[in-house]
Amino acid sequence: LIFLAGIAGLLAGSFSMATGEYASMRAQRDSYENDIAKEAIELAEWPEEELEELNLIYRAKGLSEDEADKISRRVMADPEVALDTMTREELGLDPSSLGSPWGAAFSSLLAFSLGALVPILPFILTVNSDPTPNIVFWSAGLSGSLLLVLGGILAFLSGNRIWVGSIRMLLLGGLAAAVTYSVGLLIGDSVSGLG
């Protein structure tokens, strides 16, 4: 039962996370593309105002009025370069890397699946035999170890203290597991009370 519930949770959770990540990234990308389209309209309909905006941006970066004007005029002479430049300078976006909804969905699905696989791994390995009485402890130990390692890696990569990241990740994972376990107990009691 634990094995089947674990597999069901892995599949449901990974597809749910992937779907949510796709929807989120798609909405974000649509918003960015809409902003870029508006900028293209502004460049076409109000080129002088956009030239002045770019001029002000370059002056704010320390260029003299004359230098800013020369560079702005050169940029605005080519519509593609103008749109690319205004997208970067005014909107703060890189048009070539707005994010991939499918890439985000797949990476989320993979990460969740791998993470969800860890606690049920001991059950998978003993599926054709009688599980040992300590199998739940093996599952918890394996999961806790992975949380400690991942927390430490994330802390190291972000320049923080490794032990703080490890403990934080273990506590957060433990809290999530406790909530999940408690909900499972409540639902199990409710279902068995109906029978």
Side-chain angles (χ1 to χ4, degrees):
L1 288 174
I2 293 172
F3 170 71
L4 291 176
I7 294 295
L10 183 153
L11 292 173
S14 59
F15 282 103
S16 174
M17 292 293 289
T19 302
E21 193 66 33
Y22 176 87
S24 173
M25 183 62 77
R26 181 75 260 168
Q28 177 180 307
R29 187 177 175 106
D30 288 346
S31 174
Y32 290 161
E33 288 171 347
N34 185 47
D35 290 344
I36 293 170
K38 286 179 184 175
E39 192 62 40
I41 291 169
E42 290 174 9
L43 282 165
E45 294 185 6
W46 302 288
E48 289 302 315
E49 287 85 350
E50 292 298 299
L51 173 66
E52 186 56 33
E53 274 186 49
L54 188 57
N55 207 326
L56 290 172
I57 290 170
Y58 287 144
R59 286 173 56 197
K61 290 186 176 197
L63 296 178
S64 70
E65 191 173 334
D66 186 48
E67 290 171 324
D69 186 58
K70 283 180 185 175
I71 293 171
S72 297
R73 289 187 185 283
R74 190 175 303 149
V75 166
M76 290 299 188
D78 183 337
E80 284 186 29
V81 173
L83 180 58
D84 184 76
T85 302
M86 291 303 284
T87 298
R88 292 171 190 275
E89 297 294 340
E90 186 180 353
L91 302 177
L93 299 174
D94 180 352
S96 63
S97 61
L98 298 180
S100 165
W102 285 109
F106 179 74
S107 61
S108 182
L109 182 134
L110 185 63
F112 188 93
S113 296
L114 290 175
L117 184 64
V118 171
I120 61 172
L121 194 58
F123 296 94
I124 292 172
L125 296 175
T126 59
V127 77
N128 289 327
S129 61
D130 289 333
T132 65
N134 299 336
I135 197 159
V136 172
F137 296 110
W138 279 101
S139 175
L142 193 59
S143 300
S145 299
L146 180 67
L147 289 169
L148 285 170
V149 169
L150 288 177
I153 290 170
L154 291 173
F156 175 77
L157 293 175
S158 62
N160 292 321
R161 290 176 291 196
I162 293 172
W163 71 270
V164 171
S166 294
I167 298 299
R168 179 175 41 219
M169 184 70 85
L170 180 63
L171 291 175
L172 290 172
L175 178 64
V179 168
T180 303
Y181 180 77
S182 299
V183 169
L185 278 180
L186 288 173
I187 291 173
D189 288 346
S190 298
V191 170
S192 64
L194 295 174

